[in-house]
Amino acid sequence: MQNVSKALEPDRSERDALLREISNYSNEFIEALPDEKAFSNEKDTPGAFKVNGKTKSIEEIITLYRDEVAAKGINPASGGHLGYIPGGGIYSSALADYLVDVTNDYVGMHFSSPGGVAIEHELLDWMKSIFGFPKSSIGNLASGGSIANLIALTAARDKHQIKNQRITKSVIYVSPQVHHCIHKAIRIIGLEDVVINYLNLDDKSRIDAEDLQLKIEKDRQIGLNPFMVIASAGTTDTGAIDPLMRISEIAKKHELWYHIDAAYGGFFILTDGKRAAFKGIEQADSLVVDPHKGLFLPYGLGAVLVKDKQSVYKSHVYRANYMQDAVADESPVNPADVSPELTKHFRSLRLWLPLQLHGIEPFVACLDEKLLLTTYFRNELKNIGFELGPEPDLSVSYFWYPIEDGDENEFNEKLLKELHKDGEVFLSSTIIDEKFVIRMAILSFRTKLETIDKAIAMIKRALIRIK
Ligand SMILES: Cc1ncc(COP(=O)(O)O)c(C=O)c1O
């Protein structure tokens, strides 16, 4: 058994050889990115990844990875990924992931990795200072925005004791533009039967705060229990920032839990140009912001901040006999006490290490660049005859090609299909006011001026093909 299991502990020269192969491939991958397409329509090969107990060499595995994983679908590492909400994947984060996977620190409890947990707290404190949250707030680094929102909404539920008969009388106010993970979270936490009251939007797809005020009053009059309002600082569809300050005043007046989903847009607060648009974010009871979006990290890091510690503890603190050694009276907050996760990936290092290596300036410069590129892309689109959605608050916007005869939606759908066939740059679509529109979401750290020029050239090619 000892002999056979040795394979799980390669020696130094074997480790070096494995790492060399992975590093060589990673370098080839990164260097090829400027010439690679951002999207391929090619489907997976059935049976390509069979797990049948047989072994493969690292070279074979890398070839399979290159041909069957990296070459198909969207290439999220490409600067040409302008669809959905791009991530990016800075290299220094990947190195941090490698390191934590080797040391395999257990960061659910302070006892088991005081250093690892301290890094998580340091980052959360840093975010508290960015978003004007008090130091006494609680936070967690989750796997992404969906889980982070889930933690926040659970806290709101427990603070307001929304259970049993109260559920069907309780009201959550949301924008029709709220991210769908909010609806998912509402269902997961047992609030499926709550009243969801959709708010009117202005012509920039932002919540009409006065409508919120009216709706709360009306709901109270008919005996309902308004308990939470959810705003977005950067909606997924249009990059809109809701009127955060005005909503906070209304939420306070009516004693509502105020949650802000800033998963996509939050880190734009670091830019001089956009800081003012986030005024009011500090008033939220809970906030979600995703470093794997706005700080260009590889997928796998979303953060939640909540001001009321007890409301988070209520649903997440559990003790078990087998954990007795790991619990101390005087410990900093244990990440496992503020999240559904017990064992968790040591994900804080993938943000901490890049911040230590690069400082914050390159991140802010990149965010500023994305805002400029959004304006540039919109201007170029206008020059070639596209209609544009309203000027966006951030770096997500939409456009469509107007046609005189025929179905405009059909035409733009056809155009998007052509763009996907081409794939040099990847764009996605959405429906705004029953209109099929093409979206641009400029957030990858690798998206540059050349990328936008490429996108315009690709769009011109597609138009010629289908006109
Ligand atoms: C505004 C917003 N909130 C939440 C999410 C969900 O985050 P995640 O995909 O990291 O779970 C997204 C994803 O794009 C988003 O744009």
Side-chain angles (χ1 to χ4, degrees), residues 189-205:
I189 63 174
L191 298 188
E192 187 177 358
D193 295 327
V194 93
V195 180
I196 304 280
N197 205 336
Y198 288 100
L199 299 166
N200 293 342
L201 302 182
D202 68 12
D203 55 4
K204 285 194 160 192
S205 303

Side-chain angles (χ1 to χ4, degrees), residues 236-253:
T236 312
D237 253 355
T238 69
I241 303 179
D242 290 322
L244 304 180
M245 192 51 117
R246 181 69 189 122
I247 295 174
S248 87
E249 290 159 4
I250 298 167
K252 268 211 179 79
K253 180 170 156 205

Side-chain angles (χ1 to χ4, degrees), residues 198-273:
Y198 288 100
L199 299 166
N200 293 342
L201 302 182
D202 68 12
D203 55 4
K204 285 194 160 192
S205 303
R206 301 169 181 146
I207 287 175
D208 170 357
E210 301 323 307
D211 184 50
L212 169 65
Q213 167 90 359
L214 285 176
K215 284 191 164 132
I216 295 171
E217 282 163 7
K218 271 195 194 153
D219 285 343
R220 280 251 154 84
Q221 275 165 17
I222 56 170
L224 293 176
N225 170 40
F227 87 98
M228 173 157 59
V229 56
I230 300 174
S232 306
T235 55
T236 312
D237 253 355
T238 69
I241 303 179
D242 290 322
L244 304 180
M245 192 51 117
R246 181 69 189 122
I247 295 174
S248 87
E249 290 159 4
I250 298 167
K252 268 211 179 79
K253 180 170 156 205
H254 294 279
E255 297 179 339
L256 265 58
W257 183 284
Y258 182 22
H259 175 65
I260 299 181
D261 179 4
Y264 148 63
F267 285 108
F268 281 99
I269 199 174
L270 294 169
T271 65
D272 288 340

Side-chain angles (χ1 to χ4, degrees), residues 84-86 143-149 177-182 232-237 261-265 288 290 292-293 299-302 439:
Y84 310 110
I85 299 290
S143 59
S146 299
I147 303 298
N149 274 304
Q177 287 289 335
V178 77
H179 191 271
H180 73 272
C181 75
I182 295 287
S232 306
T235 55
T236 312
D237 253 355
D261 179 4
Y264 148 63
V288 163
D290 277 2
H292 74 184
K293 297 184 175 73
Y299 297 133
L301 190 63
R439 281 173 76 252

